[in-house]
């Protein structure tokens, strides 16, 4: 089954404790992206990757890091999480950047709480 | 910078009604426009994708139209059902990213 998986699905942590949210897709997609979703602000892009070893900032990259060492995986790293990073995070993938010719497939989301 | 606006922010209708959700965007240089559905606390499910050269797409009871020159799209839902209750998101595809509206929260009551 074609899918995007994220782990963990739920995470409660404390300020400053480094964490990684994993994202994996099995569709051989070139493009992957991370979004955060907050009430009243909608979905905002954090980082995206056009291909392996190619990443770029989205609208809200501060406090986050990403890496794309293999095509299928695109982990999101919070080196020193803060309470304002409490949010619902989504990973997405598509054949083309931004879903130019096809839709983006979204993971189930990771609900992160930083105390 | 692309901005996407969805009106209304929330909508409550009785079962069986036909309804229209609206989406507008500021930059007409888009590759496509997509409508997604999101259930509470869940991921996004793609409903319809309209390429920039197309005017509309249909899937079952859903019909989406696109007027690229005026920066508008509508999602028409026919004969609404309680199972249609969800948040509907509009997104436009630029060179490297999707820009989302904030969504319309739809409640269909039995």
């Amino acid at each position: 089954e074609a899918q995007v998986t994220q782990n963990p699905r739920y995470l409660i942590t404390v300020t400053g404790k480094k964490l990684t949210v994993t994202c994996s897709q099995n569709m051989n997609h070139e493009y992957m992206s991370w979004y955060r979703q907050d009430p009243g602000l909608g979905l905002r892009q954090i980082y995206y990757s056009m291909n392996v070893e190619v990443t770029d900032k989205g609208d809200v990259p501060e406090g986050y890091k990403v890496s794309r060492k293999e095509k299928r995986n695109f982990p999101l790293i919070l080196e020193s999480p803060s309470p304002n990073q409490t949010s619902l995070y989504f990973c997405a993938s598509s054949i083309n950047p931004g879903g130019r010719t096809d839709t983006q497939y979204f993971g189930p989301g990771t609900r992160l709480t930083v105390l | 910078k692309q901005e996407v606006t969805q009106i209304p922010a929330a909508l409550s209708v009785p079962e069986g009604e036909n309804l229209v959700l609206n989406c507008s965007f500021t930059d007409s240089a888009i590759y496509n426009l997509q409508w997604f559905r999101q259930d509470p606390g869940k991921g996004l499910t793609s409903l319809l994708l309209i390429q920039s050269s197309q005017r509309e797409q249909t899937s079952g009871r859903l019909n989406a139209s696109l007027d690229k020159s005026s920066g508008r799209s509508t999602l028409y839902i026919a004969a609404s059902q309680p199972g249609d209750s969800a948040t509907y998101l509009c997104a436009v595809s630029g060179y490297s990213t999707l820009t989302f509206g904030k969504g319309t929260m739809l409640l269909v009551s039995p």
Side-chain angles (χ1 to χ4, degrees):
Chain A
E1 180 191 354
Q3 60 182 351
V4 178
T5 57
Q6 295 179 226
N7 282 293
R9 295 288 315 281
Y10 302 90
L11 180 60
I12 301 174
T13 189
V14 296
T15 298
K17 186 176 181 182
K18 181 179 178 180
L19 66 92
T20 299
V21 183
T22 64
C23 172
S24 183
Q25 50 92 5
N26 63 0
M27 295 168 278
N28 202 37
H29 284 166
E30 304 273 325
Y31 180 90
M32 297 185 76
S33 180
W34 276 103
Y35 298 87
R36 62 177 288 175
Q37 186 176 36
D38 303 287
L41 296 176
L43 273 152
R44 295 176 293 168
Q45 190 178 49
I46 304 170
Y47 269 95
Y48 62 92
S49 171
M50 298 281 213
N51 210 329
V52 176
E53 301 293 359
V54 180
T55 64
D56 210 343
K57 297 177 181 178
D59 295 323
V60 288
E62 294 77 21
Y64 304 95
K65 285 176 59 178
V66 293
S67 69
R68 187 94 181 272
K69 292 182 169 46
E70 353 165 50
K71 191 182 245 188
R72 64 182 293 127
N73 296 323
F74 189 43
L76 180 69
I77 303 158
L78 285 72
E79 294 269 6
S80 182
S82 61
N84 64 11
Q85 293 179 296
T86 293
S87 187
L88 180 58
Y89 291 86
F90 290 102
C91 180
S93 74
S94 60
I95 295 173
N96 299 118
R100 284 186 214 166
T101 59
D102 70 316
T103 191
Q104 284 201 351
Y105 294 82
F106 281 78
T110 294
R111 186 166 293 282
L112 172 66
T113 301
V114 183
L115 302 175
Chain B
K1 181 183 173 184
Q2 179 75 267
E3 292 183 5
V4 180
T5 303
Q6 291 187 246
I7 295 173
L11 182 62
S12 181
V13 300
E15 181 177 8
E17 272 203 10
N18 302 324
L19 57 100
V20 175
L21 308 182
N22 296 290
C23 172
S24 62
F25 48 95
T26 55
D27 186 350
S28 61
I30 63 171
Y31 286 90
N32 62 51
L33 183 142
Q34 303 178 38
W35 285 93
F36 292 87
R37 169 185 171 137
Q38 185 178 25
D39 293 290
K42 301 288 180 63
L44 279 68
T45 301
S46 177
L47 296 173
L48 289 164
L49 183 152
I50 311 175
Q51 297 292 352
S52 61
S53 58
Q54 297 176 317
R55 298 285 291 185
E56 66 178 323
Q57 280 285 340
T58 298
S59 176
R61 294 182 294 107
L62 305 180
N63 176 276
S65 68
L66 173 63
D67 184 342
K68 201 174 91 160
S69 61
S70 69
R72 296 178 187 274
S73 175
T74 61
L75 178 66
Y76 175 82
I77 302 177
S80 58
Q81 303 171 357
D84 294 331
S85 298
T87 296
Y88 291 79
L89 296 164
C90 166
V92 295
S93 176
Y95 177 76
S96 60
T97 188
L98 273 180
T99 302
F100 284 85
K102 294 180 181 178
T104 293
M105 187 182 303
L106 174 63
L107 176 64
V108 182
S109 52

